[in-house]
Amino acid sequence: MLQEKGYIGTPRNRVDGRAKVTGEAKYAAEFDAPDLAYGIVVSSAIAKGRIASIDADAALAVPGVLQVFTHENRPRTAWFDINFRDETAPPGSPFRPLYDDKVVYSGQPVALVVAESFEIAAYAASLVRIAYEPETHMTDLDIQRDEAYVPPRKRTGVKRPPSPRGDPDGAFEQAPVKVHGEYRVAIEHHNPMETHASTVVYEEDGTLTIHDKTQGSQNSQSYVSSVFGLSSDQVRVISPFVGGAFGSGLRPQYQLFLAVMAALELKRSVRVVLTRDQMFTFGYRPLTIQTISLGANPDGKLVSIMHDAIQTTSPWEDYQEVVVNWSNLLYHCDNVKLTYRLSQVDTYTPIDMRAPGAALGVTAIETAMDELAYAAGIDPVELRLRNYAEMDEADKKYFTSKELRACYQLGAERFGWARRNPEPRSMREGRELIGWGMASGVWEAIMQRVAARAALTPDDRLEVASATADIGTGTYTILTQIAAETLGLPMESVTTKIGDSSLPKSPVEGGSWTAASAGSAVQKACLSVREQLFKYARRMDDSPLANASIEQVTFAGGRIHMTNDPSAGVTLQQAMQAGGVDRVEAEEKSSMGLLKNMRYSGYSHSAIFAEVRVDEELGVVRVTRIVNAVAAGTILNPKTARSQILGGVVFGIGMALEEESMLDHNLGRFMNHNLAEYHVPVNADVYDIDVIFVSEHEERLNPLGVKGLGEIGVIGTAAAIGNAIYHATGKRIRDYPITIDKLLG
Ligand code: MOS
């Protein structure tokens, strides 16, 4: 007998795994179209100024070149009049490719060369001659920090820091134990394996089918239709598979605009793919300078928390993250001041990158807490327990659930933390110093309104559909599990369709909200199908379920039967026949959670323990062991969930030791714009990662009890590693990544 029940909470292989490893899963740049033309982007060589002239004659003379689009000949679009902002845009006026002669950042697209083949387009692009009139640019936050401003509140979903409470300055002044420092995390770029690409298929009737690399097919769809003044049924965006994104696909990127513009002008299908170095010419994780002051009593109890952050944004948009709020969310304190400001630099606008804000803010506070542990002479875990926040003190709300204590305990046990000698440089093996460090993690458990459709057909096939996305996170798999379990069908009978703007409405996939939000929508739609089927089943002649209520029956094996008597039942097919239908369909929306009007705050939590080995002479750091204990409510699929945490931890290793987009301030340009010089952790950098899911009962956020896992894995990981490096070496580096030069310096 097939197993139909108990899918939720069990480890399952990815339903899209086979398609991915066989190449059957196609990505945005892999779709073909008749007469497909190829566009290559020409990027600006200066950071600021104007384009004096563009000489495209040589490029246009190359046989096979169709057009060279620049600001001088680009078509007029609706966008240039209405200033349309996409769903995820920060306040401000979005960047418009080829708008005019102004250059506002280095790498800005200034021309698109379209040709019959990729090779011709690439060659012709090298022949475009552009003369610039440069102006003075500024990309250095160390200079610009004096210009920092509190961003405007309008039109942003980002939570502001709470108002100050108590007397944080006075309490710090008086505190017997103090820590004060400036913390930095370098600029990072997302660098997903799949570079950004759009294949715009120009259909015979003039409508567009667009294969776009995006985390939100409907966001791209509404962007294209608004910007180009098309009706929504003239544009369909499809993106069933995404080769990683980490936030880089939250906003429609400029290749989409350029490919659509060219397709509409040439009345022909066009593909534009960004090169790896062009992946450094749009959003990034902003540079952040944080200042933290912690005051405590000799017993380690915090009497003052002050946490300030200054982040980069572009001159045209006020990009914002939640950076500083986490300090008080993690730790109880009566005197708190959290401040957040922006400063403009001449780069593109930053964009969310896995755990935006928290990945930075928690890195700083958790490094500072380790310093406090040493200053007070208290074990780092014990220090955190003494300052444990029982409630969200800023909002004066209780948590929907919070098993962070269990994370500390189980993580510490698994790691062997009790054997730690707190003395720095106390462990050594051969030429390597060994260090153990830990940190906490916290991330908001967000619910979004997502719609989903479920449809059952006579062959016992169930199709569920929503416009949400799977960016490698496992969305396909968990939605399939939820649907199969709700209707008592084997997973093999379920087809899950996502990543298509024509499907029921969904916001972008992001913020770790998809499992909870899309999952709830799918569950609700399937429950609705279930009710209809049950109604039909009761109506059948001599129905064994005639007098039953839906609570008394079980859906299993393609049947509905009395829970207390499995022999008394009908098949789903019989129920459909009784109802005279050959399709049972329902569409439902997830609710936004009860949170909005309740006295609860929803967050996931974690405790990370790290072991490093540092070669004392060479400064080489190996992260030999990580234990990450996570409390995130119901774990729908321990296998895909574990992979999310593994990926997050690897991201954290990158933040701790390697990832850094280097700006040459003379040129105003990211110089290491390739994977040879922008270092990400590779297999040789990753040793043992142990993931623990702490049992956590969650019932307030959504019926599934899900909090989401896409981001919590990275949060705190860099700090745990930095703290382990301090324990190993006695060197406190407050400037991430902790590279060899900093360790030896
Ligand atoms: Mo995530 S940075 O919201 O894709």
Side-chain angles (χ1 to χ4, degrees):
M1 166 141 171
L2 289 164
Q3 181 181 353
E4 305 86 5
K5 294 302 278 184
Y7 284 121
I8 294 175
T10 61
R12 298 286 163 176
N13 292 337
R14 281 171 192 264
V15 297
D16 52 336
R18 175 182 288 270
K20 284 193 164 170
V21 298
T22 56
E24 195 188 306
K26 292 212 305 189
Y27 296 83
E30 296 180 323
F31 288 87
D32 213 348
D35 290 325
L36 183 65
Y38 300 78
I40 293 280
V41 179
V42 179
S43 309
S44 81
I46 62 164
K48 194 174 177 185
R50 62 175 288 274
I51 299 167
S53 64
I54 299 187
D55 179 359
D57 290 352
L60 286 165
V62 176
V65 170
L66 298 164
Q67 182 56 291
V68 177
F69 292 98
T70 69
H71 69 277
E72 290 171 344
N73 67 353
R74 54 101 179 145
R76 205 173 165 74
T77 71
W79 189 25
F80 292 122
D81 303 320
I82 61 165
N83 195 16
F84 176 79
R85 298 163 66 253
D86 76 271
E87 162 190 328
T88 56
S93 173
F95 172 72
R96 308 171 193 206
L98 310 190
Y99 181 59
D100 58 16
D101 62 353
K102 286 198 181 58
V103 175
V104 291
Y105 73 97
S106 178
Q108 169 181 328
V110 290
L112 181 77
V113 179
V114 186
E116 298 287 351
S117 78
F118 173 80
E119 292 77 7
I120 294 171
Y123 171 62
S126 74
L127 303 178
V128 177
R129 292 286 165 260
I130 302 177
Y132 299 96
E133 282 171 13
E135 290 164 29
T136 311
H137 62 261
M138 172 52 67
T139 52
D140 192 345
L141 183 60
D142 278 305
I143 296 170
Q144 280 300 90
R145 63 190 293 180
D146 297 334
E147 310 292 321
Y149 60 96
V150 175
R153 184 176 290 271
K154 58 175 184 182
R155 295 189 305 189
T156 174
V158 178
K159 217 171 172 188
R160 316 306 295 264
S163 306
R165 294 203 318 276
D167 176 18
D169 287 290
F172 180 72
E173 205 56 46
Q174 304 287 316
V177 186
K178 288 180 199 176
V179 163
H180 173 79
E182 185 177 288
Y183 303 83
R184 284 169 187 247
V185 180
I187 291 177
E188 298 182 337
H189 277 85
H190 307 66
N191 277 307
M193 267 167 65
E194 180 198 19
T195 56
H196 278 255
S198 304
T199 302
V200 179
V201 182
Y202 190 87
E203 309 283 1
E204 273 172 23
D205 59 2
T207 64
L208 304 177
T209 302
I210 304 173
H211 304 280
D212 187 36
K213 184 209 174 83
T214 177
Q215 291 171 241
S217 54
Q218 289 176 336
N219 191 32
S220 288
Q221 191 256 7
S222 69
Y223 167 86
V224 167
S225 45
S226 304
V227 165
F228 291 93
L230 302 168
S231 70
S232 57
D233 56 5
Q234 289 175 294
V235 181
R236 180 178 175 196
V237 175
I238 303 176
S239 155
F241 297 102
V242 183
F246 313 118
S248 66
L250 288 170
R251 299 187 72 177
Q253 299 298 359
Y254 65 75
Q255 93 287 342
L256 175 63
F257 174 88
L258 294 173
V260 171
M261 175 199 71
L264 290 172
E265 277 300 286
L266 299 171
K267 301 201 181 329
R268 138 171 215 186
S269 300
V270 175
R271 172 189 299 157
V272 177
V273 183
L274 299 188
T275 59
R276 180 55 66 184
D277 59 311
Q278 285 170 339
M279 293 296 287
F280 289 76
T281 61
F282 53 92
Y284 60 90
R285 196 195 286 282
L287 178 62
T288 312
I289 303 175
Q290 302 181 60
T291 310
I292 293 180
S293 304
L294 299 178
N297 287 328
D299 62 1
K301 290 226 169 105
L302 285 162
V303 295
S304 176
I305 299 177
M306 291 188 281
H307 189 168
D308 175 67
I310 301 176
Q311 286 198 303
T312 56
T313 190
S314 71
W316 58 91
E317 284 172 316
D318 292 306
Y319 172 79
Q320 294 159 61
E321 311 186 324
V322 178
V323 180
V324 292
N325 305 25
W326 315 101
S327 298
N328 189 206
L329 263 165
L330 281 168
Y331 303 116
H332 162 75
C333 191
D334 294 327
N335 304 296
V336 182
K337 186 164 75 181
L338 308 172
T339 46
Y340 175 71
R341 287 168 296 158
L342 296 178
S343 198
Q344 292 175 354
V345 291
D346 293 315
T347 64
Y348 197 90
T349 309
I351 189 172
D352 288 345
M353 180 167 168
R354 202 172 200 169
L360 303 167
V362 173
T363 296
I365 187 69
E366 288 301 283
T367 306
M369 283 296 281
D370 197 64
E371 294 177 52
L372 185 64
Y374 278 96
I378 296 169
D379 175 80
V381 176
E382 175 60 25
L383 179 73
R384 284 160 175 86
L385 291 172
R386 285 189 194 173
N387 290 289
Y388 197 82
E390 298 293 350
M391 65 185 293
D392 174 348
E393 297 178 356
D395 284 355
K396 307 228 172 342
K397 290 176 175 179
Y398 289 100
F399 295 106
T400 58
S401 56
K402 178 178 175 178
E403 295 294 343
L404 178 56
R405 263 198 197 88
C407 294
Y408 290 134
Q409 189 199 330
L410 295 171
E413 274 169 21
R414 181 75 62 89
F415 188 83
W417 185 258
R419 291 185 278 114
R420 179 178 181 267
N421 173 352
E423 192 60 39
R425 304 178 66 86
S426 56
M427 288 194 287
R428 178 189 290 274
E429 204 174 289
R431 47 193 277 176
E432 285 182 319
L433 292 162
I434 301 170
W436 290 359
M438 61 82 56
S440 324
V442 55
W443 182 249
E444 195 177 359
I446 305 167
M447 285 294 289
Q448 294 278 13
R449 192 172 307 284
V450 174
R453 185 172 60 227
L456 183 74
T457 43
D459 47 1
D460 273 354
R461 294 293 313 175
L462 177 65
E463 184 185 285
V464 291
S466 169
T468 187
D470 188 331
I471 60 173
T473 41
T475 311
Y476 277 108
T477 311
I478 54 117
L479 296 185
T480 304
Q481 288 174 266
I482 292 166
E485 173 148 339
T486 309
L487 281 172
L489 289 166
M491 277 176 73
E492 295 73 23
S493 298
V494 180
T495 305
T496 297
K497 287 193 174 169
I498 57 178
D500 181 338
S501 65
S502 68
L503 299 175
K505 198 162 169 47
S506 171
V508 294
E509 179 185 42
S512 299
W513 62 59
T514 300
S517 310
S520 296
V522 163
Q523 185 190 40
K524 218 163 153 186
C526 290
L527 284 172
S528 186
V529 166
R530 217 175 119 108
E531 275 167 35
Q532 288 179 55
L533 286 167
F534 179 63
K535 223 189 300 168
Y536 297 144
R538 286 182 60 191
R539 264 195 228 154
M540 256 174 70
D541 296 338
D542 303 322
S543 172
L545 308 175
N547 298 316
S549 71
I550 198 156
E551 290 75 31
Q552 294 171 309
V553 301
T554 297
F555 281 62
R559 288 173 75 244
I560 314 170
H561 65 74
M562 295 301 296
T563 303
N564 60 12
D565 177 11
S567 68
V570 305
T571 66
L572 300 183
Q573 293 321 310
Q574 288 170 326
M576 283 170 83
Q577 274 162 20
V581 296
D582 56 9
R583 186 180 174 86
V584 182
E585 184 178 312
E587 185 170 322
E588 298 285 350
K589 288 191 188 73
S590 60
S591 64
M592 290 292 284
L594 306 166
L595 286 176
K596 285 252 147 86
N597 308 311
M598 287 178 67
R599 56 184 208 291
Y600 294 102
S601 281
Y603 288 89
S604 52
H605 295 88
S606 66
I608 307 102
F609 295 82
E611 176 184 275
V612 299
R613 288 169 183 251
V614 185
D615 185 309
E616 212 184 351
E617 283 169 52
L618 300 178
V620 174
V621 180
R622 298 189 295 139
V623 182
T624 42
R625 249 176 356 115
I626 295 265
V627 174
N628 195 345
V630 179
T634 303
I635 303 305
L636 292 167
N637 180 338
K639 190 167 183 177
T640 52
R642 176 174 173 273
S643 292
Q644 282 301 291
I645 302 302
L646 293 181
V649 167
V650 172
F651 237 67
I653 295 173
M655 177 176 278
L657 301 177
E658 299 179 51
E659 294 194 51
E660 178 172 18
S661 302
M662 296 181 180
L663 271 165
D664 179 330
H665 296 305
N666 288 320
L667 296 170
R669 191 175 183 86
F670 291 110
M671 299 309 287
N672 55 337
H673 47 72
N674 55 69
L675 290 178
E677 294 168 289
Y678 181 97
H679 295 166
V680 296
V682 296
N683 280 342
D685 299 313
V686 178
Y687 293 80
D688 188 34
I689 302 173
D690 198 348
V691 180
I692 301 170
F693 288 113
V694 170
S695 144
E696 183 173 72
H697 179 71
E698 169 61 54
E699 58 180 26
R700 296 190 168 99
L701 284 162
N702 52 65
L704 289 161
V706 168
K707 286 183 173 175
L709 291 163
E711 285 156 306
I712 186 74
V714 62
I715 301 165
T717 298
I721 294 168
N723 296 340
I725 290 173
Y726 175 77
H727 184 230
T729 64
K731 282 194 183 167
R732 180 67 68 184
I733 314 280
R734 300 189 179 96
D735 183 9
Y736 293 86
I738 302 175
T739 44
I740 291 170
D741 52 311
K742 292 173 192 166
L743 264 180
L744 294 181

